[in-house]
Amino acid sequence: MASANAPGAAPGDPAAGSKTMMKLENTEKRDTLIGIEKKYQQQWQDAKVFEAEPPSISELPYGTPQEDLHKKYPKFYGNFAFPYMNGSLHAGHAFTVSKLEFTSGFARMEGKRVLFPLGYHVTGLPIKACADKLVDEVKMFGEDFSGYKEEEAESAADVVPAPTQAQTKDDITKFTAKKGKANAKTIKAKYQFQILMSQGLPKEELHKFADTSHWLQYFPPLCKRDLIGFGARIDWRRQFVTTDANPYFDAFVRWQMHRLYEMKKILFGARYTIYSPKDGQPCMDHDRSKGEAVLPQEYTALKLKVKEWSPKAAELIKDKIPDSAEVFFVPATLRPETMYGQTCCFVGPNIKYGIFKVSENVYYVFTRRAAWNLAFQGTFFKTDSFARDIKELPPVVEFAGSEVVGTLINAPLSFHKKGVRILPMDSVIATKGTGVVTCVPSDSPDDYATISDLAKKADYYRIQKEWAENEMIPLIDTPAYGNLCAKTLVEKMKINSPKDAKQLAEAKDLAYKEGYYKGTMLVGNYKGQSVESAKPKVREDLISAGDAFAYAEPAAQVVSRSGDECIVAHLGQWFLNYGDQDVEWRDAVLQHVQNDLNTYSSDTLHAFEGVIGWLNKWACARTYGLGSKLPWDPKFLVESLSDSTIYMAYYTIAHYLHSDRFGAETGRFQIKPEQMIDEVWDYIITRTELSDDLIEKSGIPKEELQTLRRSFEYWYPLDMRGSGKDLIPNHLTFFLYVHAALFPKKLWPRSVRSNGHLLLNGEKMSKSTGNFLTLSDATKKFGADATRVAMADAGDGTDDANFDETVANSNILRLHTLKEWVEEVMKDDKLRTGPTDSFFDKLFENETNDIVHQAYEHYSNTDFKLALKSALYDFTASRDFYREATIASGQGMHKDLITRYVELQALLLTPIAPHWCDYIWQEVLHKPTTIQNALWPKVPAADPSLTAARDYVRATASAITSAESAQLKKKAKGKGTSFDPKAPKKLTIFAAKAFPGWQEKYIDLLREAFEKQSIGSGGDSKAQEQELIQKVGKMGEAKKAMPFVQGLRKRIAQGEKSEVVFERKLAFEEGQVLSEMVKGLKKTTGCKVIEVVMVDEGGKSGEVTVAENGGHGGKREDLPQAAEGAIPAHPNFLFENVAA
């Protein structure tokens, strides 16, 4: 499902030929870490660590309610969209995998049984299309492709003009996916064998890929190898390939389709669909090399009958079209309700048009591209005899648009009954709509600007001025822009020319939305009705009168895997009846998304809501490619997005059925594929109960059937589905729909976690630029754990994330340095022993407890970037602080606390960097079994007073050293300083005994707010915060009061008891903490003397609690001005020089 369309990089250095890719030089540390990783990967596979099973019937009897199963034996079941097997996995795949991988690792530590399986998607057109291309290329160049001669690479940029009225508008009422995976990938290799060579495949092997079965043999083992090399916790017993290549999975898909058909969720009927004439079948999302998620766009095609040809045109068609024939120019519009206001019709003067014969006496005028589209919609060809090549649809006459300018035509509904003229419009493009554009200047800014320009420059355009001066009739009244919306906007935005494309595009958007959503009809049969209501009625009237017909084309360019530019066909086909034709089904899915499904982000939730709103019938079958046959109509194959909706259920029992991915060898039970009849699947999926008839009919023993049912019941529902966000418009929504159709509600998916695309070094991954990284190359280049850490660091939302190679490279050094330190410190027999009751011992133990709880919360929320920050960066920072503080104070680190730190460090980082952690766990800490089976550590909650003391120590030490550093910089620049930092010096720290009296009224204000539960109890909001700020501002001391109030609010939010905060008591004894800091400060500052003075209110006097001689210095009067600035928790200090 996750497309592997982008081929992998060539073997060797993945940075070859790239300016942005990093090149590594000294790899000794990396190679050491990779050696550890390979050892533990093998150990995990040999020990079958990731092979998960449900509770057996002997553990809990058959018939135990599902809720009791999960209560006694908690579980986590997650998977991601299985990759398509036409290439190697790349870093983008690994990024999606990493989210499930980290979640699975954490779930194991929560004591849950964890199932993380993976299969291989091979259904559909991509492999077949590639194989067929190779068949042709082998014929052209030989089996070894020696007949190929190097050709100059073609370089042609697609020019995308600014959107104008000439480029038929997108329908603002429909959702459109702007970017899909296929669109994001560009490959400059011309031939299929070149694409395969870019993946490192030897040329002499390439001809084998002309056989589709070879793809299924070749790429799945590489996928498995690369994910094992990544350290993935996958149960590989459950692997399988899709299609009838695996008869067990084939039976599952046929059951699924059969039941949906019986439920009337699959229907047959004529509908619009994206279609490949070359392939002779619908072209669905995964059959496309370009245009993923593009849907048919339906228009109203008007029939503008020719009344009088221009002289040039009359000469062109002479003797080629019968005099009695009716010829129609055919514009396509999304705004049929505005056709009352047509004043002319535009053509592109340099565009080629054709006159195409519809019947003996009827001819249409439009571009060849439009004719080709219409040919598959009931015009020109019958459904059972569609053409395969556009050459089969020649025009009767072909000409440039300029040659028909001046032709008089009849415009249906227009108030200009005598007819309107064909006029030139330079911005018409031939690749959207029919190339013929009707002009409504009252409501289209583009039309108004163009018709105004034509009238002003009639001679330049070689037209008669009056042709461009037909009266403009008000059609629609709008609140914002009146009844001549286009004129108002053009004048308001000061648009002077049809060439002001950017402003016209903005004006068009404003006019269209204002008219559709807020406009009222002023004319016609539906005068007084809203435009939204009148639009479909006017369209229907036009079609019923024979003045228009329905026309559709792809909303954007779509190219099939076979290289064919697709059109829209209207044909009979089997389709899944998603959308508003089955309201009950649609609403059940929508309610599940809104009420029960965890989407982890509002972006994903809103995306689902949008797709469910527009998604409609989906063609579920094709005649070409790989797949399972429709059981009731075997000439059709199930398409790739319809056989991949509920395969997560298949994983739960796959290893019981077969022991290889093809189902050639039976699994734990000796069940044959033909025994997996529909009734067996019904029973397993809990749709029916066990019966003697089922046992007899299937030939499967009762105990085995019960075990299959138990396995499904235990693992379902799916706890997490991981995927890129680009699959929301198709696969992920289909996945929800089909679960809702076939499963009881309690078995519907619990969560979908979608992620953004992955950038590489801040740029889009692209093979053509060399900025591309396969998963295999990533783990070879950086090692698995460094790659995984970089994946965690890349980001967690639905915005595009960034895999930064400098981060991955720095992780090598970080992990290797930490490994060496752990190895050395655990052998250090000089570490302190005895009680762990020193001040810094307590701070260190408390901080590690705090970080353990923070990391747990982040992992639980799947916020892996934050989890990494806590589990690695913050945790090592806590160790650094402890080490520096205890060394500076002369105590040294405590052996028990360091051992505890190392153990916790290994545990906290296990979900993200399991190889490194298992090495530390088993080879340094000498634990008897793998850390993969270890549980999350249970530690006491952090003590807020110790947390506050730690923050105080860090902030105070930082302020002191920063002040000294600032003096050194001043001295280095020759500026005056208050003391000489390099001479013997003394530091006096002034700490306030009590809070100033002015703060009392703010305490009362805060206490009142707290009692109303506006702070500190989950009820705090921006509005309440703003109210508090306003109150503080009115009390006249905002400059000094606001930091004070915010500081108190922060203390409450961090868990301090409100009574302690409101009594204006610090959570710690400041004087005592400063006393503990003195030894360390002496070392870090180099001060000869440090004194601590506890200052009385007013700042003029105080008590020396740490004196020059190390004891208490008694009362001190006439303190320097620096003492006045001290307040509790914010000491002030003074440096001064002393005698040597």
Side-chain angles (χ1 to χ4, degrees), residues 584-604:
E584 184 179 352
W585 193 16
R586 181 200 65 193
D587 289 351
V589 174
L590 181 60
Q591 288 168 18
H592 179 63
V593 167
Q594 294 176 330
N595 301 326
D596 303 313
L597 187 73
N598 181 5
T599 58
Y600 300 92
S601 77
S602 59
D603 289 343
T604 299

Side-chain angles (χ1 to χ4, degrees), residues 469-608:
E469 292 183 328
N470 281 332
E471 183 184 359
M472 186 167 57
I473 310 295
L475 308 175
I476 297 169
D477 188 48
T478 66
Y481 309 120
N483 60 16
L484 290 175
C485 185
K487 181 176 185 295
T488 301
L489 278 166
V490 167
E491 292 173 353
K492 182 179 180 180
M493 299 176 69
K494 298 180 180 179
I495 296 170
N496 299 314
S497 162
K499 295 180 181 179
D500 294 339
K502 184 177 179 181
Q503 292 166 279
L504 280 170
E506 183 182 350
K508 177 186 71 174
D509 188 57
L510 292 171
Y512 197 8
K513 289 179 179 177
E514 178 74 9
Y516 181 79
Y517 291 112
K518 299 179 181 179
T520 302
M521 296 297 298
L522 298 175
V523 298
N525 295 336
Y526 307 103
K527 179 179 178 180
Q529 294 188 20
S530 69
V531 169
E532 193 170 359
S533 172
K535 176 178 177 175
K537 298 173 185 176
V538 175
R539 182 178 193 266
E540 184 57 37
D541 289 349
L542 283 164
I543 294 173
S544 298
D547 291 328
F549 57 88
Y551 167 77
E553 63 179 37
Q557 187 184 38
V558 177
V559 179
S560 74
R561 300 279 185 184
S562 61
D564 187 32
E565 182 163 358
C566 296
I567 51 81
V568 167
H570 190 257
L571 72 168
Q573 58 190 212
W574 294 106
F575 59 87
L576 276 153
N577 196 31
Y578 301 137
D580 56 12
Q581 297 303 307
D582 191 332
V583 175
E584 184 179 352
W585 193 16
R586 181 200 65 193
D587 289 351
V589 174
L590 181 60
Q591 288 168 18
H592 179 63
V593 167
Q594 294 176 330
N595 301 326
D596 303 313
L597 187 73
N598 181 5
T599 58
Y600 300 92
S601 77
S602 59
D603 289 343
T604 299
L605 171 61
H606 296 328
F608 270 124

Side-chain angles (χ1 to χ4, degrees), residues 751-962:
S751 78
V752 171
R753 193 189 191 289
S754 67
N755 54 264
H757 300 280
L758 186 71
L759 302 177
L760 179 59
N761 301 320
E763 298 177 6
K764 185 178 77 173
M765 280 204 291
S766 168
K767 289 161 288 301
S768 61
T769 63
N771 191 51
F772 191 79
L773 195 63
T774 66
L775 173 56
S776 175
D777 282 331
T779 55
K780 289 174 184 175
K781 188 172 184 178
F782 302 110
D785 281 339
T787 298
R788 291 166 67 105
V789 172
M791 291 289 180
D793 190 69
D796 292 307
T798 55
D799 292 334
D800 289 350
N802 182 39
F803 181 90
D804 192 331
E805 287 193 298
T806 61
V807 172
N809 188 45
S810 67
N811 292 334
I812 296 172
L813 179 61
R814 184 186 299 274
L815 292 172
H816 191 272
T817 301
L818 187 55
K819 164 187 166 293
E820 288 191 325
W821 181 86
V822 168
E823 290 169 337
E824 291 171 8
V825 78
M826 292 304 293
K827 297 174 184 175
D828 189 350
D829 56 8
K830 296 179 182 178
L831 291 177
R832 178 165 51 92
T833 57
T836 57
D837 57 0
S838 78
F839 175 67
F840 288 109
D841 288 346
K842 293 176 182 177
L843 289 190
F844 181 48
E845 184 173 14
N846 185 72
E847 183 171 16
T848 55
N849 291 343
D850 191 22
I851 293 173
V852 168
H853 289 291
Q854 289 177 27
Y856 184 90
E857 181 179 359
H858 296 322
Y859 278 125
S860 297
N861 295 332
T862 71
D863 291 329
F864 300 117
K865 188 178 180 75
L866 293 175
L868 175 68
K869 178 180 180 296
S870 295
L872 181 59
Y873 305 141
D874 291 350
F875 211 65
T876 52
S878 72
R879 175 212 61 181
D880 294 343
F881 174 74
Y882 177 61
R883 178 175 56 186
E884 292 161 9
T886 53
I887 290 173
S889 64
Q891 299 173 4
M893 299 185 293
H894 196 287
K895 183 176 181 62
D896 293 346
L897 291 179
I898 289 301
T899 301
R900 179 179 186 268
Y901 161 80
V902 171
E903 183 171 321
L904 289 175
Q905 176 66 92
L907 290 168
L908 265 59
L909 201 54
T910 291
I912 295 174
H915 311 85
W916 185 94
C917 296
D918 216 356
Y919 170 80
I920 298 299
W921 191 253
Q922 294 195 58
E923 299 190 39
V924 178
L925 295 171
H926 306 295
K927 301 289 184 178
T929 58
T930 175
I931 202 169
Q932 296 278 15
N933 294 330
L935 297 179
W936 188 263
K938 293 183 179 180
V939 299
D943 182 338
S945 64
L946 289 173
T947 301
R950 175 204 66 197
D951 292 343
Y952 176 86
V953 169
R954 285 178 171 169
T956 302
S958 176
I960 290 170
T961 54
S962 295

Side-chain angles (χ1 to χ4, degrees), residues 633-688:
D633 196 351
K635 66 177 177 289
F636 287 102
L637 301 172
V638 181
E639 65 93 26
S640 62
L641 283 165
S642 298
D643 80 340
S644 56
T645 54
I646 57 168
Y647 65 88
M648 313 84 206
Y650 185 80
Y651 282 133
T652 65
I653 63 166
H655 63 303
Y656 294 111
L657 304 180
H658 52 84
S659 57
D660 68 317
R661 65 181 180 275
F662 293 105
E665 300 173 11
T666 55
R668 182 180 301 182
F669 300 154
Q670 300 302 306
I671 299 173
K672 296 177 181 178
E674 56 268 25
Q675 292 177 276
M676 296 303 294
I677 56 178
D678 285 356
E679 292 83 354
V680 169
W681 294 111
D682 286 335
Y683 166 70
I684 293 170
I685 307 302
T686 75
R687 290 167 60 89
T688 61

